[in-house]
Amino acid sequence: MHRLNDEYEALRKTVEEFARDVVAPVIGDYYERCAFPYDIVSQMGRMGLFGLPIPEEYGGMGGDYFALCLALEELARVDSSVAITLEAATSLGAMPLYRYGSEEQKAEWLPDLAAGRTLGAFGLTEPGGGTDVPGGMRTTAVLDGDAWVINGSKAFITNSGTDITGFVAVAALTGPREDGSATPEISTILVPSGTPGFTVSKKYSKVGWSASDTRELSFTDCRVPAANLLGDRGRGYAQFLRTLDEGRVAIAALSVGLAQGCVDESLRYVKERHAFGMPIGRYQAIQFKVADMEVRAHTARLAYYHAAEKMLAGEPFKKEAAIAKLVGSNAAMDNARDATQIFGGYGFMNEYPVGRFYRDAKILEIGEGTSEVQRMLIARQLGLSA
């Protein structure tokens, strides 16, 4: 899959042009105001980007997960807030519903999700425990007659408080396991926006991703129908492990986009910026720095292509997803730092894209599993354990 076929290349080119012509001219203003770009999201919906991996029978484009990754890379070359909005809505919102939902749930939600008219969110992380799942999970759901009663809170949940958010898929403790296992029973339950007892906090003030929606959520005796259970009771842990493996490939693609965007911006700048009588791109120190940036982006792209290839083939891809996410996030962070250095004082100004890239890069080493978690996963796949 190292060479894109005509269909993939046509998609990549379409999203590249959209990012350059539609997103790039206006996203800086949204970023400065910490405003959610509803008009851009609407256009992305009409383009079918939110439905790329969703079958046509549910209103999607009938593509695959690699197509989504290509779109994420091209968007993130210009802006990560828009890219993470698409990633979270599709990878974390729509895909678990498509994979594990009942036909009734899919018929109700997927057409609007695939069209970008509605956004879904995935409520896993909690204030007191990020990586520590299931041990750190405190949110509970108790079956009371024909309803689940949910109590607890979630943190750092993307797309959870927009005007078009339809639901949050909440991972919760639903009781001890029948087999007596020490691991608690975790299930996933769909909680529609506006449900009594479901409170969405105000937006976080974030270092980066300033034009995306991220919130803390709380549930106080929040009742939803028993039919809102996503998949089988007690399968929530397995569901989100699969969801996170896929999500890591998507975040790797987004990371590659940011890393490549740093190369794009630096190439333009070093040809225009003069110092000591000539363009700074003629100095070998600058040339080597840009060359290293291109190597990082290229290598990280090959890593996520490989992970996506194994995933689409139905082969185990946990190790490859972790490698892609680790390599990609490292490339994004390193390239953002080098691009900012090349731009000098201008790189510290938010009006220049590399300033946004620098602010956006760090979270890529944290979200969807920290870099330390990726190393742990890779070591386990190599047969090493604590």
Side-chain angles (χ1 to χ4, degrees), residues 283-319:
Y283 293 106
Q284 194 175 65
I286 297 294
Q287 293 174 358
F288 281 10
K289 195 178 288 290
V290 175
D292 285 342
M293 292 164 63
E294 176 69 7
V295 168
R296 293 186 198 115
H298 178 79
T299 304
R301 182 177 296 107
L302 295 179
Y304 99 71
Y305 276 25
H306 180 58
E309 188 172 36
K310 296 201 72 171
M311 177 174 63
L312 295 184
E315 300 173 9
F317 67 100
K318 184 180 290 288
K319 181 182 73 173

PDB file of all heavy atoms in Angstrom, residues 283-319:
ATOM      1  N   TYR A 283      21.632  27.876   3.335  1.00  0.00           N
ATOM      2  CA  TYR A 283      22.572  27.506   4.392  1.00  0.00           C
ATOM      3  C   TYR A 283      22.418  26.028   4.727  1.00  0.00           C
ATOM      4  O   TYR A 283      21.308  25.533   4.922  1.00  0.00           O
ATOM      5  CB  TYR A 283      22.343  28.348   5.647  1.00  0.00           C
ATOM      6  CG  TYR A 283      22.686  29.808   5.461  1.00  0.00           C
ATOM      7  CD1 TYR A 283      21.681  30.764   5.338  1.00  0.00           C
ATOM      8  CD2 TYR A 283      24.015  30.227   5.401  1.00  0.00           C
ATOM      9  CE1 TYR A 283      21.988  32.104   5.159  1.00  0.00           C
ATOM     10  CE2 TYR A 283      24.327  31.567   5.216  1.00  0.00           C
ATOM     11  CZ  TYR A 283      23.324  32.501   5.095  1.00  0.00           C
ATOM     12  OH  TYR A 283      23.638  33.831   4.909  1.00  0.00           O
ATOM     13  N   GLN A 284      23.553  25.331   4.806  1.00  0.00           N
ATOM     14  CA  GLN A 284      23.494  23.890   5.006  1.00  0.00           C
ATOM     15  C   GLN A 284      22.834  23.514   6.334  1.00  0.00           C
ATOM     16  O   GLN A 284      22.140  22.496   6.419  1.00  0.00           O
ATOM     17  CB  GLN A 284      24.905  23.290   4.954  1.00  0.00           C
ATOM     18  CG  GLN A 284      24.904  21.780   4.822  1.00  0.00           C
ATOM     19  CD  GLN A 284      26.304  21.222   4.647  1.00  0.00           C
ATOM     20  OE1 GLN A 284      27.134  21.324   5.545  1.00  0.00           O
ATOM     21  NE2 GLN A 284      26.568  20.647   3.473  1.00  0.00           N
ATOM     22  N   ALA A 285      23.007  24.321   7.362  1.00  0.00           N
ATOM     23  CA  ALA A 285      22.388  24.014   8.653  1.00  0.00           C
ATOM     24  C   ALA A 285      20.865  23.948   8.517  1.00  0.00           C
ATOM     25  O   ALA A 285      20.213  23.064   9.092  1.00  0.00           O
ATOM     26  CB  ALA A 285      22.782  25.062   9.696  1.00  0.00           C
ATOM     27  N   ILE A 286      20.294  24.862   7.740  1.00  0.00           N
ATOM     28  CA  ILE A 286      18.853  24.861   7.507  1.00  0.00           C
ATOM     29  C   ILE A 286      18.465  23.696   6.615  1.00  0.00           C
ATOM     30  O   ILE A 286      17.452  23.011   6.843  1.00  0.00           O
ATOM     31  CB  ILE A 286      18.407  26.192   6.876  1.00  0.00           C
ATOM     32  CG1 ILE A 286      18.682  27.356   7.833  1.00  0.00           C
ATOM     33  CG2 ILE A 286      16.934  26.143   6.494  1.00  0.00           C
ATOM     34  CD1 ILE A 286      17.862  27.325   9.098  1.00  0.00           C
ATOM     35  N   GLN A 287      19.257  23.434   5.578  1.00  0.00           N
ATOM     36  CA  GLN A 287      18.966  22.323   4.673  1.00  0.00           C
ATOM     37  C   GLN A 287      18.909  20.997   5.417  1.00  0.00           C
ATOM     38  O   GLN A 287      18.006  20.181   5.192  1.00  0.00           O
ATOM     39  CB  GLN A 287      20.028  22.264   3.573  1.00  0.00           C
ATOM     40  CG  GLN A 287      20.011  23.449   2.617  1.00  0.00           C
ATOM     41  CD  GLN A 287      21.175  23.427   1.643  1.00  0.00           C
ATOM     42  OE1 GLN A 287      22.035  22.536   1.698  1.00  0.00           O
ATOM     43  NE2 GLN A 287      21.221  24.413   0.746  1.00  0.00           N
ATOM     44  N   PHE A 288      19.860  20.783   6.317  1.00  0.00           N
ATOM     45  CA  PHE A 288      19.900  19.524   7.073  1.00  0.00           C
ATOM     46  C   PHE A 288      18.691  19.404   8.000  1.00  0.00           C
ATOM     47  O   PHE A 288      18.117  18.326   8.165  1.00  0.00           O
ATOM     48  CB  PHE A 288      21.190  19.431   7.883  1.00  0.00           C
ATOM     49  CG  PHE A 288      22.399  19.024   7.071  1.00  0.00           C
ATOM     50  CD1 PHE A 288      22.346  18.972   5.690  1.00  0.00           C
ATOM     51  CD2 PHE A 288      23.588  18.697   7.700  1.00  0.00           C
ATOM     52  CE1 PHE A 288      23.461  18.613   4.942  1.00  0.00           C
ATOM     53  CE2 PHE A 288      24.697  18.322   6.966  1.00  0.00           C
ATOM     54  CZ  PHE A 288      24.640  18.277   5.582  1.00  0.00           C
ATOM     55  N   LYS A 289      18.296  20.531   8.584  1.00  0.00           N
ATOM     56  CA  LYS A 289      17.151  20.498   9.491  1.00  0.00           C
ATOM     57  C   LYS A 289      15.874  20.137   8.726  1.00  0.00           C
ATOM     58  O   LYS A 289      15.083  19.289   9.175  1.00  0.00           O
ATOM     59  CB  LYS A 289      17.005  21.851  10.203  1.00  0.00           C
ATOM     60  CG  LYS A 289      16.089  21.815  11.430  1.00  0.00           C
ATOM     61  CD  LYS A 289      16.043  23.178  12.104  1.00  0.00           C
ATOM     62  CE  LYS A 289      17.329  23.520  12.822  1.00  0.00           C
ATOM     63  NZ  LYS A 289      17.511  22.673  14.047  1.00  0.00           N
ATOM     64  N   VAL A 290      15.677  20.748   7.556  1.00  0.00           N
ATOM     65  CA  VAL A 290      14.495  20.443   6.755  1.00  0.00           C
ATOM     66  C   VAL A 290      14.548  19.009   6.228  1.00  0.00           C
ATOM     67  O   VAL A 290      13.527  18.315   6.178  1.00  0.00           O
ATOM     68  CB  VAL A 290      14.352  21.447   5.591  1.00  0.00           C
ATOM     69  CG1 VAL A 290      13.191  21.071   4.689  1.00  0.00           C
ATOM     70  CG2 VAL A 290      14.156  22.861   6.130  1.00  0.00           C
ATOM     71  N   ALA A 291      15.746  18.555   5.852  1.00  0.00           N
ATOM     72  CA  ALA A 291      15.893  17.171   5.381  1.00  0.00           C
ATOM     73  C   ALA A 291      15.496  16.182   6.479  1.00  0.00           C
ATOM     74  O   ALA A 291      14.793  15.188   6.216  1.00  0.00           O
ATOM     75  CB  ALA A 291      17.332  16.916   4.931  1.00  0.00           C
ATOM     76  N   ASP A 292      15.944  16.439   7.698  1.00  0.00           N
ATOM     77  CA  ASP A 292      15.573  15.559   8.816  1.00  0.00           C
ATOM     78  C   ASP A 292      14.068  15.565   9.042  1.00  0.00           C
ATOM     79  O   ASP A 292      13.463  14.528   9.359  1.00  0.00           O
ATOM     80  CB  ASP A 292      16.285  16.004  10.099  1.00  0.00           C
ATOM     81  CG  ASP A 292      17.765  15.635  10.118  1.00  0.00           C
ATOM     82  OD1 ASP A 292      18.158  14.757   9.328  1.00  0.00           O
ATOM     83  OD2 ASP A 292      18.520  16.221  10.926  1.00  0.00           O
ATOM     84  N   MET A 293      13.442  16.720   8.880  1.00  0.00           N
ATOM     85  CA  MET A 293      11.987  16.806   9.040  1.00  0.00           C
ATOM     86  C   MET A 293      11.269  15.957   8.001  1.00  0.00           C
ATOM     87  O   MET A 293      10.302  15.257   8.306  1.00  0.00           O
ATOM     88  CB  MET A 293      11.542  18.268   8.946  1.00  0.00           C
ATOM     89  CG  MET A 293      11.994  19.135  10.114  1.00  0.00           C
ATOM     90  SD  MET A 293      11.858  20.907   9.765  1.00  0.00           S
ATOM     91  CE  MET A 293      10.079  21.069   9.547  1.00  0.00           C
ATOM     92  N   GLU A 294      11.735  16.006   6.760  1.00  0.00           N
ATOM     93  CA  GLU A 294      11.120  15.215   5.696  1.00  0.00           C
ATOM     94  C   GLU A 294      11.303  13.718   5.961  1.00  0.00           C
ATOM     95  O   GLU A 294      10.381  12.919   5.728  1.00  0.00           O
ATOM     96  CB  GLU A 294      11.731  15.596   4.344  1.00  0.00           C
ATOM     97  CG  GLU A 294      11.240  14.768   3.165  1.00  0.00           C
ATOM     98  CD  GLU A 294       9.789  15.019   2.785  1.00  0.00           C
ATOM     99  OE1 GLU A 294       9.169  15.941   3.352  1.00  0.00           O
ATOM    100  OE2 GLU A 294       9.270  14.290   1.915  1.00  0.00           O
ATOM    101  N   VAL A 295      12.485  13.330   6.455  1.00  0.00           N
ATOM    102  CA  VAL A 295      12.734  11.918   6.775  1.00  0.00           C
ATOM    103  C   VAL A 295      11.752  11.437   7.843  1.00  0.00           C
ATOM    104  O   VAL A 295      11.181  10.341   7.738  1.00  0.00           O
ATOM    105  CB  VAL A 295      14.189  11.730   7.258  1.00  0.00           C
ATOM    106  CG1 VAL A 295      14.377  10.341   7.880  1.00  0.00           C
ATOM    107  CG2 VAL A 295      15.162  11.925   6.102  1.00  0.00           C
ATOM    108  N   ARG A 296      11.530  12.247   8.872  1.00  0.00           N
ATOM    109  CA  ARG A 296      10.605  11.847   9.937  1.00  0.00           C
ATOM    110  C   ARG A 296       9.190  11.664   9.398  1.00  0.00           C
ATOM    111  O   ARG A 296       8.519  10.674   9.702  1.00  0.00           O
ATOM    112  CB  ARG A 296      10.601  12.906  11.042  1.00  0.00           C
ATOM    113  CG  ARG A 296      11.882  13.034  11.819  1.00  0.00           C
ATOM    114  CD  ARG A 296      11.707  14.019  12.983  1.00  0.00           C
ATOM    115  NE  ARG A 296      12.994  14.480  13.468  1.00  0.00           N
ATOM    116  CZ  ARG A 296      13.443  15.732  13.403  1.00  0.00           C
ATOM    117  NH1 ARG A 296      12.664  16.677  12.869  1.00  0.00           N
ATOM    118  NH2 ARG A 296      14.622  16.052  13.866  1.00  0.00           N
ATOM    119  N   ALA A 297       8.720  12.613   8.599  1.00  0.00           N
ATOM    120  CA  ALA A 297       7.363  12.526   8.063  1.00  0.00           C
ATOM    121  C   ALA A 297       7.215  11.310   7.150  1.00  0.00           C
ATOM    122  O   ALA A 297       6.220  10.579   7.221  1.00  0.00           O
ATOM    123  CB  ALA A 297       7.008  13.804   7.308  1.00  0.00           C
ATOM    124  N   HIS A 298       8.214  11.085   6.298  1.00  0.00           N
ATOM    125  CA  HIS A 298       8.162   9.961   5.363  1.00  0.00           C
ATOM    126  C   HIS A 298       8.152   8.630   6.109  1.00  0.00           C
ATOM    127  O   HIS A 298       7.349   7.734   5.803  1.00  0.00           O
ATOM    128  CB  HIS A 298       9.375  10.039   4.424  1.00  0.00           C
ATOM    129  CG  HIS A 298       9.455   8.909   3.447  1.00  0.00           C
ATOM    130  ND1 HIS A 298       8.693   8.857   2.309  1.00  0.00           N
ATOM    131  CD2 HIS A 298      10.218   7.782   3.450  1.00  0.00           C
ATOM    132  CE1 HIS A 298       8.974   7.744   1.637  1.00  0.00           C
ATOM    133  NE2 HIS A 298       9.893   7.079   2.309  1.00  0.00           N
ATOM    134  N   THR A 299       9.028   8.487   7.085  1.00  0.00           N
ATOM    135  CA  THR A 299       9.115   7.238   7.842  1.00  0.00           C
ATOM    136  C   THR A 299       7.825   6.972   8.618  1.00  0.00           C
ATOM    137  O   THR A 299       7.318   5.838   8.653  1.00  0.00           O
ATOM    138  CB  THR A 299      10.303   7.296   8.820  1.00  0.00           C
ATOM    139  OG1 THR A 299      11.504   7.584   8.103  1.00  0.00           O
ATOM    140  CG2 THR A 299      10.470   5.988   9.564  1.00  0.00           C
ATOM    141  N   ALA A 300       7.281   8.009   9.232  1.00  0.00           N
ATOM    142  CA  ALA A 300       6.048   7.852   9.992  1.00  0.00           C
ATOM    143  C   ALA A 300       4.878   7.497   9.084  1.00  0.00           C
ATOM    144  O   ALA A 300       3.985   6.732   9.470  1.00  0.00           O
ATOM    145  CB  ALA A 300       5.748   9.140  10.772  1.00  0.00           C
ATOM    146  N   ARG A 301       4.871   8.031   7.886  1.00  0.00           N
ATOM    147  CA  ARG A 301       3.803   7.701   6.928  1.00  0.00           C
ATOM    148  C   ARG A 301       3.859   6.213   6.570  1.00  0.00           C
ATOM    149  O   ARG A 301       2.833   5.530   6.526  1.00  0.00           O
ATOM    150  CB  ARG A 301       3.927   8.552   5.666  1.00  0.00           C
ATOM    151  CG  ARG A 301       2.813   8.291   4.652  1.00  0.00           C
ATOM    152  CD  ARG A 301       2.918   9.194   3.429  1.00  0.00           C
ATOM    153  NE  ARG A 301       2.745  10.591   3.780  1.00  0.00           N
ATOM    154  CZ  ARG A 301       3.726  11.492   3.811  1.00  0.00           C
ATOM    155  NH1 ARG A 301       4.981  11.127   3.502  1.00  0.00           N
ATOM    156  NH2 ARG A 301       3.474  12.740   4.141  1.00  0.00           N
ATOM    157  N   LEU A 302       5.049   5.704   6.299  1.00  0.00           N
ATOM    158  CA  LEU A 302       5.181   4.286   5.996  1.00  0.00           C
ATOM    159  C   LEU A 302       4.695   3.422   7.155  1.00  0.00           C
ATOM    160  O   LEU A 302       4.094   2.358   6.949  1.00  0.00           O
ATOM    161  CB  LEU A 302       6.645   3.947   5.667  1.00  0.00           C
ATOM    162  CG  LEU A 302       7.232   4.591   4.402  1.00  0.00           C
ATOM    163  CD1 LEU A 302       8.687   4.168   4.233  1.00  0.00           C
ATOM    164  CD2 LEU A 302       6.424   4.215   3.167  1.00  0.00           C
ATOM    165  N   ALA A 303       4.923   3.875   8.376  1.00  0.00           N
ATOM    166  CA  ALA A 303       4.505   3.108   9.551  1.00  0.00           C
ATOM    167  C   ALA A 303       2.987   3.018   9.642  1.00  0.00           C
ATOM    168  O   ALA A 303       2.426   1.947   9.912  1.00  0.00           O
ATOM    169  CB  ALA A 303       5.086   3.735  10.825  1.00  0.00           C
ATOM    170  N   TYR A 304       2.285   4.129   9.413  1.00  0.00           N
ATOM    171  CA  TYR A 304       0.820   4.042   9.523  1.00  0.00           C
ATOM    172  C   TYR A 304       0.217   3.354   8.301  1.00  0.00           C
ATOM    173  O   TYR A 304      -0.805   2.665   8.412  1.00  0.00           O
ATOM    174  CB  TYR A 304       0.205   5.411   9.835  1.00  0.00           C
ATOM    175  CG  TYR A 304      -0.382   6.217   8.708  1.00  0.00           C
ATOM    176  CD1 TYR A 304      -1.565   5.844   8.068  1.00  0.00           C
ATOM    177  CD2 TYR A 304       0.205   7.431   8.317  1.00  0.00           C
ATOM    178  CE1 TYR A 304      -2.122   6.623   7.055  1.00  0.00           C
ATOM    179  CE2 TYR A 304      -0.346   8.211   7.315  1.00  0.00           C
ATOM    180  CZ  TYR A 304      -1.508   7.798   6.676  1.00  0.00           C
ATOM    181  OH  TYR A 304      -2.063   8.585   5.685  1.00  0.00           O
ATOM    182  N   TYR A 305       0.840   3.501   7.129  1.00  0.00           N
ATOM    183  CA  TYR A 305       0.371   2.747   5.971  1.00  0.00           C
ATOM    184  C   TYR A 305       0.436   1.242   6.264  1.00  0.00           C
ATOM    185  O   TYR A 305      -0.484   0.483   5.944  1.00  0.00           O
ATOM    186  CB  TYR A 305       1.243   3.046   4.744  1.00  0.00           C
ATOM    187  CG  TYR A 305       0.883   4.283   3.944  1.00  0.00           C
ATOM    188  CD1 TYR A 305       0.205   5.362   4.518  1.00  0.00           C
ATOM    189  CD2 TYR A 305       1.240   4.379   2.610  1.00  0.00           C
ATOM    190  CE1 TYR A 305      -0.099   6.491   3.771  1.00  0.00           C
ATOM    191  CE2 TYR A 305       0.934   5.504   1.849  1.00  0.00           C
ATOM    192  CZ  TYR A 305       0.269   6.556   2.438  1.00  0.00           C
ATOM    193  OH  TYR A 305      -0.031   7.683   1.699  1.00  0.00           O
ATOM    194  N   HIS A 306       1.525   0.807   6.868  1.00  0.00           N
ATOM    195  CA  HIS A 306       1.717  -0.611   7.156  1.00  0.00           C
ATOM    196  C   HIS A 306       0.692  -1.106   8.175  1.00  0.00           C
ATOM    197  O   HIS A 306       0.102  -2.185   8.010  1.00  0.00           O
ATOM    198  CB  HIS A 306       3.137  -0.854   7.673  1.00  0.00           C
ATOM    199  CG  HIS A 306       3.430  -2.283   8.009  1.00  0.00           C
ATOM    200  ND1 HIS A 306       3.310  -3.309   7.100  1.00  0.00           N
ATOM    201  CD2 HIS A 306       3.836  -2.870   9.171  1.00  0.00           C
ATOM    202  CE1 HIS A 306       3.637  -4.453   7.664  1.00  0.00           C
ATOM    203  NE2 HIS A 306       3.943  -4.220   8.928  1.00  0.00           N
ATOM    204  N   ALA A 307       0.465  -0.316   9.216  1.00  0.00           N
ATOM    205  CA  ALA A 307      -0.526  -0.699  10.224  1.00  0.00           C
ATOM    206  C   ALA A 307      -1.917  -0.789   9.617  1.00  0.00           C
ATOM    207  O   ALA A 307      -2.678  -1.729   9.891  1.00  0.00           O
ATOM    208  CB  ALA A 307      -0.507   0.300  11.386  1.00  0.00           C
ATOM    209  N   ALA A 308      -2.263   0.178   8.772  1.00  0.00           N
ATOM    210  CA  ALA A 308      -3.579   0.179   8.128  1.00  0.00           C
ATOM    211  C   ALA A 308      -3.726  -1.014   7.185  1.00  0.00           C
ATOM    212  O   ALA A 308      -4.798  -1.628   7.100  1.00  0.00           O
ATOM    213  CB  ALA A 308      -3.792   1.484   7.364  1.00  0.00           C
ATOM    214  N   GLU A 309      -2.653  -1.351   6.497  1.00  0.00           N
ATOM    215  CA  GLU A 309      -2.688  -2.484   5.577  1.00  0.00           C
ATOM    216  C   GLU A 309      -2.995  -3.776   6.326  1.00  0.00           C
ATOM    217  O   GLU A 309      -3.827  -4.582   5.892  1.00  0.00           O
ATOM    218  CB  GLU A 309      -1.345  -2.592   4.854  1.00  0.00           C
ATOM    219  CG  GLU A 309      -1.315  -3.603   3.725  1.00  0.00           C
ATOM    220  CD  GLU A 309      -0.021  -3.529   2.933  1.00  0.00           C
ATOM    221  OE1 GLU A 309       1.036  -3.274   3.551  1.00  0.00           O
ATOM    222  OE2 GLU A 309      -0.059  -3.733   1.709  1.00  0.00           O
ATOM    223  N   LYS A 310      -2.361  -3.989   7.466  1.00  0.00           N
ATOM    224  CA  LYS A 310      -2.609  -5.197   8.249  1.00  0.00           C
ATOM    225  C   LYS A 310      -4.028  -5.182   8.821  1.00  0.00           C
ATOM    226  O   LYS A 310      -4.706  -6.218   8.849  1.00  0.00           O
ATOM    227  CB  LYS A 310      -1.587  -5.316   9.390  1.00  0.00           C
ATOM    228  CG  LYS A 310      -0.154  -5.496   8.923  1.00  0.00           C
ATOM    229  CD  LYS A 310       0.723  -6.109  10.002  1.00  0.00           C
ATOM    230  CE  LYS A 310       0.393  -7.569  10.216  1.00  0.00           C
ATOM    231  NZ  LYS A 310       1.364  -8.245  11.104  1.00  0.00           N
ATOM    232  N   MET A 311      -4.488  -4.024   9.257  1.00  0.00           N
ATOM    233  CA  MET A 311      -5.828  -3.914   9.815  1.00  0.00           C
ATOM    234  C   MET A 311      -6.869  -4.281   8.754  1.00  0.00           C
ATOM    235  O   MET A 311      -7.794  -5.055   9.030  1.00  0.00           O
ATOM    236  CB  MET A 311      -6.062  -2.492  10.334  1.00  0.00           C
ATOM    237  CG  MET A 311      -7.457  -2.234  10.866  1.00  0.00           C
ATOM    238  SD  MET A 311      -7.634  -0.600  11.616  1.00  0.00           S
ATOM    239  CE  MET A 311      -7.312   0.459  10.216  1.00  0.00           C
ATOM    240  N   LEU A 312      -6.733  -3.727   7.558  1.00  0.00           N
ATOM    241  CA  LEU A 312      -7.710  -3.987   6.498  1.00  0.00           C
ATOM    242  C   LEU A 312      -7.668  -5.436   6.032  1.00  0.00           C
ATOM    243  O   LEU A 312      -8.675  -5.969   5.546  1.00  0.00           O
ATOM    244  CB  LEU A 312      -7.475  -3.051   5.316  1.00  0.00           C
ATOM    245  CG  LEU A 312      -7.695  -1.556   5.574  1.00  0.00           C
ATOM    246  CD1 LEU A 312      -7.514  -0.770   4.294  1.00  0.00           C
ATOM    247  CD2 LEU A 312      -9.063  -1.291   6.171  1.00  0.00           C
ATOM    248  N   ALA A 313      -6.514  -6.087   6.196  1.00  0.00           N
ATOM    249  CA  ALA A 313      -6.381  -7.491   5.796  1.00  0.00           C
ATOM    250  C   ALA A 313      -6.934  -8.439   6.861  1.00  0.00           C
ATOM    251  O   ALA A 313      -6.935  -9.660   6.658  1.00  0.00           O
ATOM    252  CB  ALA A 313      -4.919  -7.811   5.513  1.00  0.00           C
ATOM    253  N   GLY A 314      -7.374  -7.868   7.984  1.00  0.00           N
ATOM    254  CA  GLY A 314      -7.900  -8.702   9.053  1.00  0.00           C
ATOM    255  C   GLY A 314      -6.821  -9.402   9.860  1.00  0.00           C
ATOM    256  O   GLY A 314      -7.105 -10.366  10.583  1.00  0.00           O
ATOM    257  N   GLU A 315      -5.591  -8.926   9.758  1.00  0.00           N
ATOM    258  CA  GLU A 315      -4.479  -9.519  10.500  1.00  0.00           C
ATOM    259  C   GLU A 315      -4.276  -8.770  11.823  1.00  0.00           C
ATOM    260  O   GLU A 315      -4.686  -7.617  11.955  1.00  0.00           O
ATOM    261  CB  GLU A 315      -3.192  -9.437   9.669  1.00  0.00           C
ATOM    262  CG  GLU A 315      -3.272 -10.160   8.334  1.00  0.00           C
ATOM    263  CD  GLU A 315      -2.042  -9.905   7.474  1.00  0.00           C
ATOM    264  OE1 GLU A 315      -1.066  -9.315   7.997  1.00  0.00           O
ATOM    265  OE2 GLU A 315      -2.057 -10.289   6.292  1.00  0.00           O
ATOM    266  N   PRO A 316      -3.639  -9.409  12.819  1.00  0.00           N
ATOM    267  CA  PRO A 316      -3.325  -8.692  14.066  1.00  0.00           C
ATOM    268  C   PRO A 316      -2.485  -7.457  13.758  1.00  0.00           C
ATOM    269  O   PRO A 316      -1.519  -7.527  12.979  1.00  0.00           O
ATOM    270  CB  PRO A 316      -2.526  -9.727  14.867  1.00  0.00           C
ATOM    271  CG  PRO A 316      -2.967 -11.051  14.338  1.00  0.00           C
ATOM    272  CD  PRO A 316      -3.204 -10.830  12.870  1.00  0.00           C
ATOM    273  N   PHE A 317      -2.848  -6.327  14.359  1.00  0.00           N
ATOM    274  CA  PHE A 317      -2.131  -5.089  14.045  1.00  0.00           C
ATOM    275  C   PHE A 317      -1.850  -4.242  15.285  1.00  0.00           C
ATOM    276  O   PHE A 317      -1.470  -3.085  15.170  1.00  0.00           O
ATOM    277  CB  PHE A 317      -2.921  -4.262  13.017  1.00  0.00           C
ATOM    278  CG  PHE A 317      -4.234  -3.715  13.535  1.00  0.00           C
ATOM    279  CD1 PHE A 317      -4.325  -2.384  13.954  1.00  0.00           C
ATOM    280  CD2 PHE A 317      -5.368  -4.511  13.614  1.00  0.00           C
ATOM    281  CE1 PHE A 317      -5.527  -1.884  14.438  1.00  0.00           C
ATOM    282  CE2 PHE A 317      -6.563  -4.012  14.095  1.00  0.00           C
ATOM    283  CZ  PHE A 317      -6.647  -2.691  14.512  1.00  0.00           C
ATOM    284  N   LYS A 318      -2.013  -4.816  16.462  1.00  0.00           N
ATOM    285  CA  LYS A 318      -1.823  -4.052  17.691  1.00  0.00           C
ATOM    286  C   LYS A 318      -0.407  -3.470  17.777  1.00  0.00           C
ATOM    287  O   LYS A 318      -0.230  -2.294  18.095  1.00  0.00           O
ATOM    288  CB  LYS A 318      -2.109  -4.932  18.911  1.00  0.00           C
ATOM    289  CG  LYS A 318      -2.015  -4.176  20.247  1.00  0.00           C
ATOM    290  CD  LYS A 318      -2.299  -5.078  21.425  1.00  0.00           C
ATOM    291  CE  LYS A 318      -3.761  -5.478  21.472  1.00  0.00           C
ATOM    292  NZ  LYS A 318      -4.621  -4.319  21.877  1.00  0.00           N
ATOM    293  N   LYS A 319       0.601  -4.296  17.505  1.00  0.00           N
ATOM    294  CA  LYS A 319       1.980  -3.815  17.571  1.00  0.00           C
ATOM    295  C   LYS A 319       2.231  -2.737  16.524  1.00  0.00           C
ATOM    296  O   LYS A 319       2.824  -1.690  16.816  1.00  0.00           O
ATOM    297  CB  LYS A 319       2.963  -4.973  17.363  1.00  0.00           C
ATOM    298  CG  LYS A 319       4.438  -4.539  17.438  1.00  0.00           C
ATOM    299  CD  LYS A 319       5.392  -5.694  17.173  1.00  0.00           C
ATOM    300  CE  LYS A 319       5.409  -6.088  15.721  1.00  0.00           C
ATOM    301  NZ  LYS A 319       6.448  -7.106  15.414  1.00  0.00           N
TER     302      LYS A 319
END
